[in-house]
């Protein structure tokens, strides 16, 4: 498994429906809330998933 972090050039999402079913932009505060067990616009990944590690690192960044 490989994980990467990147910077978006703009807020346009171009979704490849063959690879992803849905995509949304979320705020850092929404990510913090969801990872802390609160309600938000997405379900949190399990703690063992690379997605959890990436979201946690991004949520804690300044």
């Amino acid at each position: 498994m490989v994980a990467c972090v990147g910077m978006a050039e703009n807020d346009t999402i171009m979704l490849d429906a063959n690879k992803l079913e849905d995509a949304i932009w979320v705020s850092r505060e929404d990510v913090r809330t969801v990872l802390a067990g609160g309600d938000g616009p997405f379900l949190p990944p399990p703690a063992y998933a690379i997605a959890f590690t990436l979201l946690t690192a991004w949520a804690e960044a300044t």
Side-chain angles (χ1 to χ4, degrees):
M1 175 76 50
V2 176
C4 300
V5 176
M7 256 326 197
E9 293 180 357
N10 58 56
D11 62 358
T12 302
I13 297 176
M14 296 182 66
L15 185 66
D16 180 344
N18 293 316
K19 297 182 181 186
L20 293 173
E21 182 176 310
D22 194 14
I24 60 171
W25 289 109
V26 294
S27 69
R28 198 177 304 266
E29 190 55 39
D30 281 344
V31 172
R32 289 177 181 145
T33 298
V34 169
L35 292 179
D39 291 330
F42 65 96
L43 296 174
Y48 58 80
I50 189 68
F52 182 89
T53 302
L54 290 169
L55 286 170
T56 300
W58 183 75
E60 294 174 352
T62 56

